[in-house]
Amino acid sequence: MARMSVYEVRFRARSTDVLADDPAGQLRAVLEVMPGIAHSLGADHDAVTRTVTGGFQLEVARGMAAAARDSSRLAKEALKLAGMVDARLVELTIALRQSQ
């Protein structure tokens, strides 16, 4: 069995459109139930800059490259499911937290 590593992922996305009511709440709800995410770290937004931020933990067997690929895909999918289809990732940070 492959060793699993836990990565902490933080992302920020900017929208060209005005964000809907409570975009952080919508993103937070998605991150809490989305398959592939081990643990949600919450979400926040800034109405002035039209940005949302979110975080989650991810378990990966193959290391940083796999974590980067998977976390980018999961962040984009979470934004889409939260109704922010036009939002673009402008920041993505990935940090190894635990290697099992």
Side-chain angles (χ1 to χ4, degrees):
M1 180 181 222
R3 288 178 44 180
M4 298 297 283
S5 296
V6 177
Y7 290 87
E8 182 176 300
V9 178
R10 303 276 180 178
F11 65 93
R12 185 167 51 104
R14 182 170 290 124
S15 178
T16 56
D17 290 336
V18 174
L19 296 172
D21 290 339
D22 194 21
Q26 293 172 341
L27 183 57
R28 191 177 306 111
V30 168
L31 292 173
E32 289 183 7
V33 298
M34 194 167 161
I37 292 177
H39 178 73
S40 171
L41 300 174
D44 202 356
H45 85 282
D46 182 334
V48 175
T49 61
R50 295 183 181 168
T51 59
V52 292
T53 58
F56 57 89
Q57 287 184 337
L58 175 69
E59 293 182 357
V60 178
R62 294 194 173 180
M64 184 64 80
R69 179 198 64 225
D70 293 351
S71 62
S72 174
R73 180 185 53 79
L74 288 168
K76 289 177 190 176
E77 184 67 18
L79 290 165
K80 179 180 169 185
L81 292 172
M84 294 173 256
V85 178
D86 72 317
R88 295 197 160 200
L89 286 177
V90 294
E91 184 177 334
L92 181 68
T93 59
I94 305 154
L96 177 63
R97 290 297 173 223
Q98 177 183 2
S99 186
Q100 303 170 353

